[in-house]
Amino acid sequence: MSLYNLTKVNKLYVRGAEKIPIFENLNMEIPERDFVAVMGPSGSGKSTLLNLLGGIDGVSSGTIMFRDQHLEGLNQNELSGWRAKHVGFIFQFYNLMPMLNAAQNVELPLLLTNLSAAERAKNVATALEVVGLEHRHKHSPKEMSGGEQQRVAIARAIVSDPDVLLADEPTGDLDRETANKIMEILQLLNRDLGKAIIVVTHDPVICDYTKRSLHLNKGVFTEEVRP
């Protein structure tokens, strides 16, 4: 079953009188439980693709289906509600709130739900346990290493139990050993919890952990599938 289906998607940006095309008639399918790395040079459209999949940016024309739902027909309030239910975001520079401890950072997405304080605390504890940081729940970001901060960010991304994780250079600020540990956590989330994961990256080593890789150049994909 398909999680996403993109059909004849066109995306262009307008800069003054100039129109800059990013995608032209893009067709793309992402199955349920997929784990894909999207690679390509700067300016090739990788981050734009994540923004389209996350409902942050809209298509110029064409359709984006999430299961049986048209994303391009939703207004901003509807997209916000859809994202809160279905999508978790992971960023290169963690985007943690420095004045909050790990548990409070992880809890942030749940503050927009109707969960009780006790239910939120239970979900936060579970998410921190998944990433191996239950013992660091009271520590602030400045008291943690870069790898630990990224694990907190992953816990925040999964705390609302989304269907898909969209990761933009999640290992770009980390050393090789720490980056490998982060990718092992993402592998676990995909394999054991069934999360679909789309990772934008410049790092070819990331492809060793994913099911397939898409190489993007000038809005065109070529695909490699892991043996």
Side-chain angles (χ1 to χ4, degrees):
M1 180 178 176
S2 295
L3 183 67
Y4 284 100
N5 258 309
L6 283 67
T7 305
K8 295 184 178 179
V9 165
N10 290 282
K11 179 62 183 177
L12 59 85
Y13 293 104
V14 178
R15 183 184 299 161
E18 184 182 13
K19 294 182 178 180
I20 305 170
I22 306 299
F23 296 116
E24 296 184 78
N25 291 318
L26 172 65
N27 295 300
M28 181 183 189
E29 179 186 5
I30 298 175
E32 298 273 1
R33 305 174 68 100
D34 200 6
F35 191 4
V36 57
V38 180
M39 303 189 67
S42 296
S44 61
K46 301 187 303 299
S47 293
T48 298
L49 176 65
L50 278 194
N51 289 340
L52 292 173
L53 295 177
I56 294 173
D57 206 351
V59 301
S60 300
S61 64
T63 62
I64 298 181
M65 295 287 294
F66 181 85
R67 295 180 176 143
D68 58 354
Q69 185 172 23
H70 277 275
L71 295 189
E72 77 280 357
L74 301 181
N75 62 38
Q76 289 303 313
N77 286 338
E78 291 169 334
L79 281 170
S80 180
W82 171 82
R83 278 194 299 270
K85 183 177 181 181
H86 295 291
V87 183
F89 292 93
I90 303 169
F91 305 97
Q92 178 177 354
F93 297 113
Y94 327 134
N95 287 4
L96 301 179
M97 300 294 288
M99 73 291 295
L100 302 180
N101 63 33
Q104 291 168 330
N105 267 286
V106 173
E107 186 185 18
L108 285 174
L110 301 181
L111 298 178
L112 301 175
T113 70
N114 294 322
L115 294 177
S116 68
E119 290 171 322
R120 294 198 305 270
K122 181 179 179 181
N123 288 9
V124 168
T126 299
L128 285 171
E129 183 177 358
V130 167
V131 300
L133 283 181
E134 61 272 23
H135 61 295
R136 301 280 270 164
H137 67 284
K138 291 186 178 181
H139 290 77
S140 67
K142 67 180 180 181
E143 297 174 305
M144 292 182 284
S145 67
E148 288 172 330
Q149 290 184 62
Q150 189 61 295
R151 285 153 67 188
V152 171
I154 292 172
R156 180 185 58 195
I158 66 173
V159 71
S160 57
D161 195 24
D163 301 293
V164 58
L165 298 177
L166 302 178
D168 195 352
E169 298 282 2
T171 63
D173 199 42
L174 304 173
D175 62 76
R176 179 80 274 149
E177 181 180 358
T178 305
N180 290 344
K181 290 179 180 177
I182 293 299
M183 292 309 301
E184 288 168 3
I185 291 173
L186 295 182
Q187 260 190 338
L188 178 148
L189 293 171
N190 174 255
R191 182 186 65 241
D192 297 350
L193 299 183
K195 305 298 181 188
I197 304 176
I198 297 95
V199 180
V200 159
T201 183
H202 285 96
D203 184 0
V205 176
I206 299 302
C207 299
D208 294 338
Y209 293 89
T210 62
K211 293 178 178 177
R212 62 189 180 116
S213 60
L214 295 173
H215 295 258
L216 180 60
N217 190 23
K218 297 181 180 178
V220 178
F221 285 108
T222 56
E223 180 176 358
E224 295 180 11
V225 180
R226 286 184 63 200

